[in-house]
C-alpha cells in the first residue's frame, strides 16, 4: 500500500534551517508529485509547495518563496523540504502528500506528519 | 492564507445530516475541481472526495459532495461519532498558481 514516512521530529533554534524527509513506498515514486503541507497548533492546513520527482520541477506558495527548497531523489524514493530562517511561527506539523502530476485530483495520500519545533 | 471560506463548525445528532459549505472565487473553485478532506486528531488527513463529487475506494456513500459556480458543498448523512473531525475543502488556484485549502470546519456529533 502507499506509504509516506518521515524521519523523526525535530527541534531547531530561531534562524536555523530544517530539512524534512519523506520516504515513499507502495507506488511509482516518479509518477506523482509530492506536496508539502503544514499545520500549526490550532490552525488549518497550509500548502507550502510541490515537487515533481521525475523532473525536479517545483512550485512554491508565495509566502515561502525564497525560504523553502523542495527536492526529490528518485533513486531512494525520498522527497525533501528544507525551510530556512526559522521563527517560532514555523512550529508546526509538516506533512508530505501525493498528488497526480498535471491533473487536479486532490491530494490522495498523506504522511502521518512530523513535528518541527522552533524554540530558543 | 486560506482563500476558501468554510463555517468554523457544524453539529448534529447521530444519524442526522450535516452540510459543510466552501466558498471561493473564479480563480479557484470556479476554475477547477474541488476535493474534500477529513482530518481526525493525530491522524493523517484523508481524501474523501475528488473531482467535485467522486469518492476514492473505501469512502462510504454517506459522504457526498457537489459544486456550483464558485462554491462547493460536502454532505455527511447518517452521522456517526467517528465522523467527529475537521473537514477541509481544497482546489487549485490558477491566479495564485497554488493549491489552496479551506479554513476548515469542525464537525461535532451531539
Amino acid at each position: 500500500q502507499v506509504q509516506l514516512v518521515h524521519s523523526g521530529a525535530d527541534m531547531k533554534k530561531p534562524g536555523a534551517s530544517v530539512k524534512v524527509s519523506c520516504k515513499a513506498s507502495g507506488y511509482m515514486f516518479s509518477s506523482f508529485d509530492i506536496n508539502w503541507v503544514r499545520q500549526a497548533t490550532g490552525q488549518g492546513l497550509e500548502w507550502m509547495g510541490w515537487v515533481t520527482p521525475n523532473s525536479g520541477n517545483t512550485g512554491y506558495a508565495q509566502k515561502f518563496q525564497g525560504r523553502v527548497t523542495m527536492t526529490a531523489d528518485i533513486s531512494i524514493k525520498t522527497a525533501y523540504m528544507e525551510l530556512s530562517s526559522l521563527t517560532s511561527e514555523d512550529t508546526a506539523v509538516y506533512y508530505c502528500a501525493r498528488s497526480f502530476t498535471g491533473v487536479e485530483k486532490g491530494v490522495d495520500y498523506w504522511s502521518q506528519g512530523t513535528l518541527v519545533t522552533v524554540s530558543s | 492564507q486560506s482563500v476558501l471560506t468554510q463555517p468554523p463548525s457544524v453539529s448534529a445528532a447521530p444519524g442526522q445530516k450535516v452540510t459543510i459549505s466552501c466558498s471561493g472565487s473564479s480563480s479557484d473553485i470556479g476554475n477547477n475541481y474541488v476535493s474534500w478532506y477529513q482530518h481526525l486528531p493525530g491522524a493523517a488527513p484523508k481524501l474523501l472526495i475528488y473531482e467535485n463529487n467522486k469518492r476514492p475506494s473505501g469512502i462510504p456513500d454517506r459522504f457526498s459532495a457537489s459544486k456550483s459556480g464558485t462554491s462547493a458543498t460536502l454532505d455527511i448523512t447518517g452521522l456517526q461519532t467517528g465522523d467527529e473531525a475537521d473537514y477541509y475543502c481544497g482546489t487549485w488556484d490558477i491566479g495564485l498558481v497554488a493549491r489552496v485549502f479551506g479554513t476548515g470546519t469542525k464537525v461535532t456529533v451531539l
Side-chain angles (χ1 to χ4, degrees):
Chain A
Q1 73 279 24
V2 174
Q3 285 193 308
L4 297 166
V5 178
H6 295 290
S7 49
D10 210 342
M11 181 174 288
K12 296 291 184 182
K13 294 192 182 303
S17 297
V18 67
K19 190 169 186 176
V20 181
S21 67
C22 168
K23 184 167 178 60
S25 62
Y27 73 98
M28 190 170 293
F29 181 65
S30 58
S31 297
F32 295 82
D33 291 346
I34 291 290
N35 295 256
W36 289 89
V37 179
R38 75 179 188 180
Q39 184 177 39
T41 301
Q43 303 298 307
L45 300 175
E46 182 176 34
W47 183 79
M48 300 178 68
W50 55 263
V51 57
T52 300
N54 214 23
S55 63
N57 288 344
T58 56
Y60 304 137
Q62 188 169 8
K63 175 179 178 177
F64 299 102
Q65 286 189 8
R67 204 163 69 92
V68 71
T69 304
M70 295 178 187
T71 55
D73 186 336
I74 290 179
S75 67
I76 56 173
K77 299 182 181 180
T78 301
Y80 302 92
M81 186 284 299
E82 184 170 22
L83 189 62
S84 63
S85 303
L86 294 170
T87 73
S88 59
E89 296 190 350
D90 294 314
T91 294
V93 174
Y94 288 76
Y95 299 95
C96 61
R98 188 185 87 162
S99 65
F100 286 81
T101 301
V103 181
E104 181 50 36
K105 288 179 177 286
V107 182
D108 63 349
Y109 285 94
W110 297 66
S111 66
Q112 286 292 118
T114 189
L115 177 63
V116 174
T117 303
V118 182
S119 174
S120 55
Chain B
Q1 181 84 9
S2 297
V3 298
L4 306 180
T5 303
Q6 300 178 231
S9 64
V10 297
S11 60
Q16 298 301 302
K17 170 185 172 181
V18 293
T19 297
I20 301 171
S21 60
C22 175
S23 178
S25 69
S26 58
S27 65
D28 42 66
I29 292 177
N31 229 293
N32 222 319
Y33 289 121
V34 176
S35 302
W36 288 91
Y37 305 88
Q38 178 191 61
H39 194 192
L40 294 160
K46 178 193 292 186
L47 178 66
L48 290 178
I49 298 286
Y50 67 99
E51 290 184 350
N52 300 335
N53 55 19
K54 297 178 181 177
R55 287 184 304 275
S57 174
I59 302 300
D61 59 7
R62 301 188 299 106
F63 296 91
S64 63
S66 62
K67 170 188 148 177
S68 178
T70 59
S71 294
T73 298
L74 174 71
D75 289 325
I76 310 173
T77 58
L79 203 60
Q80 301 175 1
T81 54
D83 296 332
E84 284 204 332
D86 295 321
Y87 291 81
Y88 295 88
C89 56
T91 188
W92 185 263
D93 188 309
I94 61 171
L96 296 175
V97 192
R99 184 173 299 282
V100 291
F101 291 105
T103 49
T105 298
K106 183 175 182 60
V107 169
T108 300
V109 181
L110 300 173

